[in-house]
mmCIF file of all heavy atoms in Angstrom:
data_model
loop_
_atom_site.group_PDB
_atom_site.id
_atom_site.type_symbol
_atom_site.label_atom_id
_atom_site.label_comp_id
_atom_site.label_asym_id
_atom_site.label_seq_id
_atom_site.Cartn_x
_atom_site.Cartn_y
_atom_site.Cartn_z
ATOM 1 N N PHE X 282 185.641 -82.797 294.390
ATOM 2 C CA PHE X 282 184.200 -82.757 294.229
ATOM 3 C C PHE X 282 183.480 -83.100 295.539
ATOM 4 O O PHE X 282 184.064 -83.657 296.476
ATOM 5 C CB PHE X 282 183.753 -83.745 293.147
ATOM 6 C CG PHE X 282 184.276 -83.434 291.776
ATOM 7 C CD1 PHE X 282 185.465 -83.992 291.324
ATOM 8 C CD2 PHE X 282 183.587 -82.577 290.929
ATOM 9 C CE1 PHE X 282 185.951 -83.708 290.063
ATOM 10 C CE2 PHE X 282 184.071 -82.289 289.660
ATOM 11 C CZ PHE X 282 185.250 -82.856 289.229
ATOM 12 N N GLN X 283 182.192 -82.791 295.552
ATOM 13 C CA GLN X 283 181.357 -83.082 296.713
ATOM 14 C C GLN X 283 181.235 -84.586 296.964
ATOM 15 O O GLN X 283 181.209 -85.034 298.096
ATOM 16 C CB GLN X 283 179.967 -82.479 296.492
ATOM 17 C CG GLN X 283 178.971 -82.753 297.605
ATOM 18 C CD GLN X 283 177.628 -82.103 297.321
ATOM 19 O OE1 GLN X 283 177.521 -81.243 296.454
ATOM 20 N NE2 GLN X 283 176.603 -82.514 298.030
ATOM 21 N N ASN X 284 181.171 -85.383 295.894
ATOM 22 C CA ASN X 284 180.898 -86.817 296.051
ATOM 23 C C ASN X 284 182.163 -87.678 295.995
ATOM 24 O O ASN X 284 182.071 -88.896 295.750
ATOM 25 C CB ASN X 284 179.907 -87.280 294.982
ATOM 26 C CG ASN X 284 180.460 -87.091 293.572
ATOM 27 O OD1 ASN X 284 181.565 -86.583 293.395
ATOM 28 N ND2 ASN X 284 179.710 -87.523 292.568
ATOM 29 N N TYR X 285 183.342 -87.084 296.186
ATOM 30 C CA TYR X 285 184.637 -87.763 296.271
ATOM 31 C C TYR X 285 185.110 -88.293 294.914
ATOM 32 O O TYR X 285 186.267 -88.129 294.566
ATOM 33 C CB TYR X 285 184.645 -88.919 297.282
ATOM 34 C CG TYR X 285 183.948 -88.623 298.588
ATOM 35 C CD1 TYR X 285 183.149 -89.588 299.192
ATOM 36 C CD2 TYR X 285 184.072 -87.388 299.215
ATOM 37 C CE1 TYR X 285 182.504 -89.342 300.381
ATOM 38 C CE2 TYR X 285 183.424 -87.123 300.412
ATOM 39 C CZ TYR X 285 182.635 -88.100 300.988
ATOM 40 O OH TYR X 285 181.989 -87.840 302.164
ATOM 41 N N ALA X 286 184.238 -88.997 294.151
ATOM 42 C CA ALA X 286 184.580 -89.510 292.815
ATOM 43 C C ALA X 286 185.807 -90.405 292.838
ATOM 44 O O ALA X 286 186.713 -90.281 292.005
ATOM 45 C CB ALA X 286 184.778 -88.341 291.836
ATOM 46 N N LEU X 287 185.852 -91.336 293.808
ATOM 47 C CA LEU X 287 186.954 -92.300 293.891
ATOM 48 C C LEU X 287 186.606 -93.562 293.102
ATOM 49 O O LEU X 287 185.437 -93.939 292.990
ATOM 50 C CB LEU X 287 187.230 -92.667 295.350
ATOM 51 C CG LEU X 287 187.576 -91.511 296.292
ATOM 52 C CD1 LEU X 287 187.778 -92.032 297.708
ATOM 53 C CD2 LEU X 287 188.818 -90.772 295.808
ATOM 54 N N TYR X 288 187.622 -94.217 292.576
ATOM 55 C CA TYR X 288 187.416 -95.495 291.895
ATOM 56 C C TYR X 288 187.270 -96.599 292.949
ATOM 57 O O TYR X 288 188.211 -96.846 293.726
ATOM 58 C CB TYR X 288 188.596 -95.798 290.977
ATOM 59 C CG TYR X 288 188.725 -94.834 289.826
ATOM 60 C CD1 TYR X 288 189.725 -93.871 289.801
ATOM 61 C CD2 TYR X 288 187.844 -94.889 288.750
ATOM 62 C CE1 TYR X 288 189.850 -92.974 288.741
ATOM 63 C CE2 TYR X 288 187.952 -94.003 287.678
ATOM 64 C CZ TYR X 288 188.957 -93.057 287.689
ATOM 65 O OH TYR X 288 189.068 -92.172 286.637
ATOM 66 N N PRO X 289 186.132 -97.279 293.007
ATOM 67 C CA PRO X 289 185.887 -98.238 294.094
ATOM 68 C C PRO X 289 186.803 -99.458 294.066
ATOM 69 O O PRO X 289 187.033 -100.092 295.106
ATOM 70 C CB PRO X 289 184.424 -98.652 293.885
ATOM 71 C CG PRO X 289 184.132 -98.358 292.452
ATOM 72 C CD PRO X 289 184.970 -97.170 292.105
ATOM 73 N N HIS X 290 187.341 -99.816 292.887
ATOM 74 C CA HIS X 290 188.172 -101.021 292.783
ATOM 75 C C HIS X 290 189.651 -100.736 293.042
ATOM 76 O O HIS X 290 190.470 -101.653 293.037
ATOM 77 C CB HIS X 290 188.017 -101.631 291.384
ATOM 78 C CG HIS X 290 188.485 -100.737 290.280
ATOM 79 N ND1 HIS X 290 187.767 -99.618 289.877
ATOM 80 C CD2 HIS X 290 189.615 -100.771 289.497
ATOM 81 C CE1 HIS X 290 188.412 -99.017 288.891
ATOM 82 N NE2 HIS X 290 189.531 -99.701 288.643
ATOM 83 N N MET X 291 189.985 -99.463 293.274
ATOM 84 C CA MET X 291 191.381 -99.095 293.497
ATOM 85 C C MET X 291 191.647 -98.827 294.970
ATOM 86 O O MET X 291 190.770 -98.374 295.711
ATOM 87 C CB MET X 291 191.744 -97.825 292.700
ATOM 88 C CG MET X 291 191.770 -97.995 291.207
ATOM 89 S SD MET X 291 192.370 -96.457 290.438
ATOM 90 C CE MET X 291 192.243 -96.876 288.705
ATOM 91 N N THR X 292 192.883 -99.050 295.393
ATOM 92 C CA THR X 292 193.295 -98.705 296.749
ATOM 93 C C THR X 292 193.450 -97.186 296.871
ATOM 94 O O THR X 292 193.434 -96.453 295.866
ATOM 95 C CB THR X 292 194.633 -99.358 297.104
ATOM 96 O OG1 THR X 292 195.647 -98.816 296.240
ATOM 97 C CG2 THR X 292 194.568 -100.876 296.948
ATOM 98 N N THR X 293 193.636 -96.746 298.109
ATOM 99 C CA THR X 293 193.879 -95.318 298.350
ATOM 100 C C THR X 293 195.085 -94.832 297.554
ATOM 101 O O THR X 293 195.045 -93.786 296.892
ATOM 102 C CB THR X 293 194.105 -95.080 299.849
ATOM 103 O OG1 THR X 293 192.885 -95.320 300.548
ATOM 104 C CG2 THR X 293 194.577 -93.667 300.127
ATOM 105 N N ALA X 294 196.178 -95.597 297.595
ATOM 106 C CA ALA X 294 197.395 -95.189 296.880
ATOM 107 C C ALA X 294 197.144 -95.106 295.378
ATOM 108 O O ALA X 294 197.600 -94.168 294.706
ATOM 109 C CB ALA X 294 198.530 -96.158 297.186
ATOM 110 N N ASP X 295 196.415 -96.091 294.842
ATOM 111 C CA ASP X 295 196.149 -96.093 293.395
ATOM 112 C C ASP X 295 195.240 -94.937 292.993
ATOM 113 O O ASP X 295 195.422 -94.329 291.937
ATOM 114 C CB ASP X 295 195.526 -97.425 292.982
ATOM 115 C CG ASP X 295 196.514 -98.576 293.045
ATOM 116 O OD1 ASP X 295 197.729 -98.306 293.025
ATOM 117 O OD2 ASP X 295 196.072 -99.742 293.146
ATOM 118 N N ASN X 296 194.232 -94.642 293.832
ATOM 119 C CA ASN X 296 193.359 -93.505 293.548
ATOM 120 C C ASN X 296 194.143 -92.208 293.523
ATOM 121 O O ASN X 296 193.966 -91.379 292.628
ATOM 122 C CB ASN X 296 192.248 -93.425 294.600
ATOM 123 C CG ASN X 296 190.964 -94.095 294.169
ATOM 124 O OD1 ASN X 296 190.271 -93.617 293.275
ATOM 125 N ND2 ASN X 296 190.663 -95.220 294.788
ATOM 126 N N MET X 297 195.025 -92.054 294.501
ATOM 127 C CA MET X 297 195.783 -90.811 294.598
ATOM 128 C C MET X 297 196.770 -90.649 293.448
ATOM 129 O O MET X 297 197.012 -89.538 292.968
ATOM 130 C CB MET X 297 196.507 -90.745 295.945
ATOM 131 C CG MET X 297 195.559 -90.574 297.132
ATOM 132 S SD MET X 297 196.363 -90.786 298.752
ATOM 133 C CE MET X 297 197.530 -89.439 298.761
ATOM 134 N N GLY X 298 197.314 -91.741 292.978
ATOM 135 C CA GLY X 298 198.342 -91.644 291.947
ATOM 136 C C GLY X 298 197.851 -91.855 290.537
ATOM 137 O O GLY X 298 198.644 -91.778 289.586
ATOM 138 N N PHE X 299 196.533 -92.077 290.361
ATOM 139 C CA PHE X 299 196.024 -92.459 289.043
ATOM 140 C C PHE X 299 196.262 -91.379 287.988
ATOM 141 O O PHE X 299 196.656 -91.674 286.857
ATOM 142 C CB PHE X 299 194.531 -92.785 289.142
ATOM 143 C CG PHE X 299 193.933 -93.263 287.856
ATOM 144 C CD1 PHE X 299 194.282 -94.506 287.347
ATOM 145 C CD2 PHE X 299 193.045 -92.474 287.133
ATOM 146 C CE1 PHE X 299 193.751 -94.955 286.141
ATOM 147 C CE2 PHE X 299 192.505 -92.914 285.935
ATOM 148 C CZ PHE X 299 192.864 -94.166 285.433
ATOM 149 N N ALA X 300 196.006 -90.120 288.337
ATOM 150 C CA ALA X 300 196.181 -89.038 287.349
ATOM 151 C C ALA X 300 197.629 -88.949 286.886
ATOM 152 O O ALA X 300 197.903 -88.664 285.716
ATOM 153 C CB ALA X 300 195.733 -87.710 287.944
ATOM 154 N N LEU X 301 198.575 -89.210 287.790
ATOM 155 C CA LEU X 301 199.986 -89.182 287.409
ATOM 156 C C LEU X 301 200.334 -90.379 286.533
ATOM 157 O O LEU X 301 201.133 -90.273 285.598
ATOM 158 C CB LEU X 301 200.861 -89.179 288.668
ATOM 159 C CG LEU X 301 200.668 -88.006 289.630
ATOM 160 C CD1 LEU X 301 201.619 -88.132 290.810
ATOM 161 C CD2 LEU X 301 200.880 -86.680 288.916
ATOM 162 N N LYS X 302 199.711 -91.503 286.841
ATOM 163 C CA LYS X 302 199.991 -92.721 286.073
ATOM 164 C C LYS X 302 199.586 -92.550 284.611
ATOM 165 O O LYS X 302 200.350 -92.889 283.696
ATOM 166 C CB LYS X 302 199.254 -93.901 286.702
ATOM 167 C CG LYS X 302 199.459 -95.220 285.981
ATOM 168 C CD LYS X 302 198.689 -96.341 286.662
ATOM 169 C CE LYS X 302 198.844 -97.656 285.891
ATOM 170 N NZ LYS X 302 198.081 -98.764 286.537
ATOM 171 N N ILE X 303 198.356 -91.995 284.390
ATOM 172 C CA ILE X 303 197.903 -91.839 283.005
ATOM 173 C C ILE X 303 198.644 -90.702 282.298
ATOM 174 O O ILE X 303 198.603 -90.602 281.074
ATOM 175 C CB ILE X 303 196.380 -91.621 282.921
ATOM 176 C CG1 ILE X 303 195.973 -90.318 283.623
ATOM 177 C CG2 ILE X 303 195.630 -92.814 283.491
ATOM 178 C CD1 ILE X 303 194.488 -89.982 283.450
ATOM 179 N N ALA X 304 199.314 -89.855 283.083
ATOM 180 C CA ALA X 304 200.155 -88.799 282.490
ATOM 181 C C ALA X 304 201.568 -89.310 282.235
ATOM 182 O O ALA X 304 202.453 -88.526 281.850
ATOM 183 C CB ALA X 304 200.197 -87.576 283.406
ATOM 184 N N HIS X 305 201.790 -90.631 282.482
ATOM 185 C CA HIS X 305 203.070 -91.304 282.216
ATOM 186 C C HIS X 305 204.209 -90.756 283.082
ATOM 187 O O HIS X 305 205.365 -90.700 282.649
ATOM 188 C CB HIS X 305 203.443 -91.205 280.727
ATOM 189 C CG HIS X 305 202.378 -91.728 279.810
ATOM 190 N ND1 HIS X 305 201.999 -93.057 279.772
ATOM 191 C CD2 HIS X 305 201.585 -91.084 278.909
ATOM 192 C CE1 HIS X 305 201.027 -93.224 278.889
ATOM 193 N NE2 HIS X 305 200.745 -92.047 278.346
ATOM 194 N N VAL X 306 203.872 -90.331 284.300
ATOM 195 C CA VAL X 306 204.907 -89.954 285.259
ATOM 196 C C VAL X 306 205.604 -91.237 285.720
ATOM 197 O O VAL X 306 204.930 -92.252 285.968
ATOM 198 C CB VAL X 306 204.295 -89.208 286.466
ATOM 199 C CG1 VAL X 306 205.348 -88.932 287.536
ATOM 200 C CG2 VAL X 306 203.644 -87.909 285.994
ATOM 201 N N PRO X 307 206.922 -91.250 285.813
ATOM 202 C CA PRO X 307 207.624 -92.470 286.226
ATOM 203 C C PRO X 307 207.107 -93.004 287.572
ATOM 204 O O PRO X 307 206.781 -92.233 288.470
ATOM 205 C CB PRO X 307 209.083 -92.011 286.329
ATOM 206 C CG PRO X 307 209.178 -90.848 285.407
ATOM 207 C CD PRO X 307 207.855 -90.165 285.470
ATOM 208 N N LYS X 308 207.048 -94.334 287.682
ATOM 209 C CA LYS X 308 206.464 -94.971 288.869
ATOM 210 C C LYS X 308 207.134 -94.538 290.171
ATOM 211 O O LYS X 308 206.433 -94.258 291.154
ATOM 212 C CB LYS X 308 206.533 -96.487 288.708
ATOM 213 C CG LYS X 308 205.778 -97.239 289.799
ATOM 214 C CD LYS X 308 205.739 -98.729 289.502
ATOM 215 C CE LYS X 308 204.944 -99.467 290.584
ATOM 216 N NZ LYS X 308 204.885 -100.925 290.300
ATOM 217 N N PRO X 309 208.464 -94.452 290.245
ATOM 218 C CA PRO X 309 209.086 -94.002 291.504
ATOM 219 C C PRO X 309 208.629 -92.593 291.905
ATOM 220 O O PRO X 309 208.439 -92.309 293.092
ATOM 221 C CB PRO X 309 210.584 -94.035 291.194
ATOM 222 C CG PRO X 309 210.721 -95.030 290.092
ATOM 223 C CD PRO X 309 209.482 -94.855 289.260
ATOM 224 N N ARG X 310 208.459 -91.723 290.892
ATOM 225 C CA ARG X 310 208.000 -90.349 291.192
ATOM 226 C C ARG X 310 206.559 -90.360 291.674
ATOM 227 O O ARG X 310 206.197 -89.605 292.582
ATOM 228 C CB ARG X 310 208.145 -89.485 289.932
ATOM 229 C CG ARG X 310 207.715 -88.033 290.103
ATOM 230 C CD ARG X 310 208.491 -87.317 291.180
ATOM 231 N NE ARG X 310 208.145 -85.915 291.244
ATOM 232 C CZ ARG X 310 208.248 -85.176 292.340
ATOM 233 N NH1 ARG X 310 208.682 -85.718 293.472
ATOM 234 N NH2 ARG X 310 207.926 -83.900 292.325
ATOM 235 N N VAL X 311 205.722 -91.215 291.084
ATOM 236 C CA VAL X 311 204.334 -91.331 291.532
ATOM 237 C C VAL X 311 204.297 -91.773 292.988
ATOM 238 O O VAL X 311 203.580 -91.197 293.818
ATOM 239 C CB VAL X 311 203.557 -92.323 290.645
ATOM 240 C CG1 VAL X 311 202.156 -92.566 291.226
ATOM 241 C CG2 VAL X 311 203.454 -91.819 289.220
ATOM 242 N N GLN X 312 205.064 -92.795 293.320
ATOM 243 C CA GLN X 312 205.081 -93.312 294.688
ATOM 244 C C GLN X 312 205.570 -92.249 295.674
ATOM 245 O O GLN X 312 205.051 -92.124 296.785
ATOM 246 C CB GLN X 312 205.964 -94.550 294.752
ATOM 247 C CG GLN X 312 205.401 -95.754 293.997
ATOM 248 C CD GLN X 312 206.351 -96.928 293.975
ATOM 249 O OE1 GLN X 312 207.580 -96.752 294.120
ATOM 250 N NE2 GLN X 312 205.810 -98.123 293.766
ATOM 251 N N GLN X 313 206.569 -91.481 295.248
ATOM 252 C CA GLN X 313 207.091 -90.426 296.120
ATOM 253 C C GLN X 313 206.022 -89.378 296.411
ATOM 254 O O GLN X 313 205.822 -88.987 297.565
ATOM 255 C CB GLN X 313 208.307 -89.761 295.470
ATOM 256 C CG GLN X 313 208.888 -88.614 296.308
ATOM 257 C CD GLN X 313 209.968 -87.840 295.553
ATOM 258 O OE1 GLN X 313 210.390 -88.226 294.464
ATOM 259 N NE2 GLN X 313 210.408 -86.728 296.138
ATOM 260 N N ARG X 314 205.307 -88.929 295.367
ATOM 261 C CA ARG X 314 204.276 -87.901 295.561
ATOM 262 C C ARG X 314 203.114 -88.431 296.407
ATOM 263 O O ARG X 314 202.560 -87.710 297.235
ATOM 264 C CB ARG X 314 203.758 -87.420 294.214
ATOM 265 C CG ARG X 314 204.755 -86.570 293.430
ATOM 266 C CD ARG X 314 204.027 -85.784 292.359
ATOM 267 N NE ARG X 314 204.916 -85.238 291.358
ATOM 268 C CZ ARG X 314 204.509 -84.584 290.275
ATOM 269 N NH1 ARG X 314 203.207 -84.432 290.042
ATOM 270 N NH2 ARG X 314 205.365 -84.115 289.407
ATOM 271 N N VAL X 315 202.741 -89.695 296.176
ATOM 272 C CA VAL X 315 201.662 -90.280 296.980
ATOM 273 C C VAL X 315 202.068 -90.349 298.451
ATOM 274 O O VAL X 315 201.270 -90.027 299.343
ATOM 275 C CB VAL X 315 201.300 -91.676 296.439
ATOM 276 C CG1 VAL X 315 200.395 -92.419 297.438
ATOM 277 C CG2 VAL X 315 200.614 -91.567 295.087
ATOM 278 N N GLN X 316 203.318 -90.746 298.723
ATOM 279 C CA GLN X 316 203.786 -90.817 300.107
ATOM 280 C C GLN X 316 203.813 -89.430 300.746
ATOM 281 O O GLN X 316 203.436 -89.271 301.915
ATOM 282 C CB GLN X 316 205.186 -91.444 300.150
ATOM 283 C CG GLN X 316 205.242 -92.918 299.793
ATOM 284 C CD GLN X 316 204.573 -93.797 300.835
ATOM 285 O OE1 GLN X 316 204.534 -93.461 302.018
ATOM 286 N NE2 GLN X 316 204.029 -94.927 300.397
ATOM 287 N N GLU X 317 204.222 -88.429 299.995
ATOM 288 C CA GLU X 317 204.262 -87.060 300.524
ATOM 289 C C GLU X 317 202.859 -86.559 300.843
ATOM 290 O O GLU X 317 202.624 -85.953 301.901
ATOM 291 C CB GLU X 317 204.933 -86.124 299.513
ATOM 292 C CG GLU X 317 206.429 -86.368 299.347
ATOM 293 C CD GLU X 317 207.016 -85.580 298.184
ATOM 294 O OE1 GLU X 317 206.214 -84.994 297.392
ATOM 295 O OE2 GLU X 317 208.258 -85.551 298.042
ATOM 296 N N ALA X 318 201.905 -86.805 299.933
ATOM 297 C CA ALA X 318 200.527 -86.380 300.175
ATOM 298 C C ALA X 318 199.915 -87.138 301.342
ATOM 299 O O ALA X 318 199.179 -86.570 302.150
ATOM 300 C CB ALA X 318 199.694 -86.585 298.908
ATOM 301 N N ALA X 319 200.216 -88.446 301.441
ATOM 302 C CA ALA X 319 199.687 -89.251 302.547
ATOM 303 C C ALA X 319 200.194 -88.738 303.888
ATOM 304 O O ALA X 319 199.460 -88.735 304.888
ATOM 305 C CB ALA X 319 200.074 -90.715 302.354
ATOM 306 N N ALA X 320 201.452 -88.283 303.924
ATOM 307 C CA ALA X 320 202.004 -87.733 305.163
ATOM 308 C C ALA X 320 201.282 -86.448 305.554
ATOM 309 O O ALA X 320 200.962 -86.226 306.730
ATOM 310 C CB ALA X 320 203.499 -87.482 304.994
ATOM 311 N N LEU X 321 201.008 -85.589 304.562
ATOM 312 C CA LEU X 321 200.308 -84.342 304.843
ATOM 313 C C LEU X 321 198.884 -84.575 305.339
ATOM 314 O O LEU X 321 198.377 -83.844 306.192
ATOM 315 C CB LEU X 321 200.259 -83.471 303.574
ATOM 316 C CG LEU X 321 201.527 -82.722 303.187
ATOM 317 C CD1 LEU X 321 201.352 -82.090 301.813
ATOM 318 C CD2 LEU X 321 201.879 -81.653 304.216
ATOM 319 N N LEU X 322 198.236 -85.626 304.817
ATOM 320 C CA LEU X 322 196.820 -85.866 305.107
ATOM 321 C C LEU X 322 196.593 -86.966 306.128
ATOM 322 O O LEU X 322 195.455 -87.372 306.359
ATOM 323 C CB LEU X 322 196.094 -86.214 303.798
ATOM 324 C CG LEU X 322 196.064 -85.094 302.762
ATOM 325 C CD1 LEU X 322 195.635 -85.635 301.400
ATOM 326 C CD2 LEU X 322 195.120 -83.987 303.206
ATOM 327 N N ASP X 323 197.680 -87.470 306.718
ATOM 328 C CA ASP X 323 197.587 -88.530 307.722
ATOM 329 C C ASP X 323 196.867 -89.763 307.152
ATOM 330 O O ASP X 323 195.945 -90.305 307.762
ATOM 331 C CB ASP X 323 196.849 -88.009 308.962
ATOM 332 C CG ASP X 323 197.034 -88.935 310.173
ATOM 333 O OD1 ASP X 323 198.008 -89.700 310.182
ATOM 334 O OD2 ASP X 323 196.183 -88.885 311.088
#
């Protein structure tokens, strides 16, 4: 979205992984995807 729509009380990692968390993706897989996305986006 234009206005980012980030949760102000969450860290960058938590914001990025929140949708996976509520979809009950296993925590190690969430962390892996967040690390991969963080590498792509510096």
Side-chain angles (χ1 to χ4, degrees):
F282 297 92
Q283 178 179 345
N284 62 358
Y285 317 139
L287 302 178
Y288 294 107
H290 63 286
M291 292 186 182
T292 64
T293 292
D295 289 340
N296 265 290
M297 291 170 63
F299 183 69
L301 300 181
K302 179 180 177 181
I303 63 174
H305 305 295
V306 174
K308 188 173 182 179
R310 180 59 175 153
V311 173
Q312 292 175 336
Q313 178 188 352
R314 289 198 195 176
V315 168
Q316 291 292 331
E317 291 171 350
L321 283 172
L322 296 166
D323 195 22

